[in-house]
């Protein structure tokens, strides 16, 4: 069983920085990728950023490019999302998704409970 826990959310002013953390634990033979999603009220969940488990290849949603940075601490099995220049439209619940490769033919995704990010105007 894999556990995923997000932390670091809170209330910040427009333009401020915030860093989210995603810690994974449990039976993890290999991580394919770790992603950050977000969901605002009345909106569908959208992909924000992704980092692969091997060579740390990253990709970002167009709306956050140049402002958000995803990174990984291999020793702690933790991924971070550094958010700078926050905007009110960034307000959402942010979820971490861990894609685990259990075998050559079996992969599974695990979700955290989410952490609230609120940006005041």
């Amino acid at each position: 069983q894999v556990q995923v826990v997000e932390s670091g959310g809170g209330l910040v002013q427009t333009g401020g920085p915030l860093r989210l953390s995603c810690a994974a634990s449990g039976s993890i033979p290999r991580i394919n990728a770790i992603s950050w999603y977000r969901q605002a009220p009345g909106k569908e969940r959208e992909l924000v950023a992704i980092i692969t488990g091997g060579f740390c290849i990253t990709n970002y949603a167009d709306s956050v490019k140049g402002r958000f940075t995803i990174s990984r601490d291999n020793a702690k099995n933790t991924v971070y999302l550094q958010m700078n220049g926050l905007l009110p439209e960034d307000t959402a619940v942010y979820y971490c998704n861990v894609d685990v490769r259990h075998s050559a033919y079996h992969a599974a995704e695990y979700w955290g409970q989410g952490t609230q990010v609120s940006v005041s105007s």
Side-chain angles (χ1 to χ4, degrees), residues 25-92:
S25 61
S27 180
I28 309 176
R30 180 179 298 177
I31 294 177
N32 292 325
I34 299 179
S35 304
W36 283 100
Y37 289 76
R38 68 185 181 187
Q39 187 167 25
K43 301 292 183 65
E44 293 185 347
R45 188 171 300 187
E46 64 173 342
L47 178 65
V48 176
I50 185 170
I51 185 167
T52 63
F55 296 100
C56 295
I57 299 172
T58 60
N59 201 6
Y60 302 89
D62 289 339
S63 59
V64 306
K65 286 182 179 178
R67 299 188 297 122
F68 291 9
T69 302
I70 188 170
S71 61
R72 187 177 73 196
D73 185 336
N74 293 328
K76 298 181 179 180
N77 292 321
T78 300
V79 165
Y80 304 97
L81 185 67
Q82 179 66 50
M83 304 183 293
N84 297 323
L86 284 166
L87 303 170
E89 48 262 45
D90 294 319
T91 296

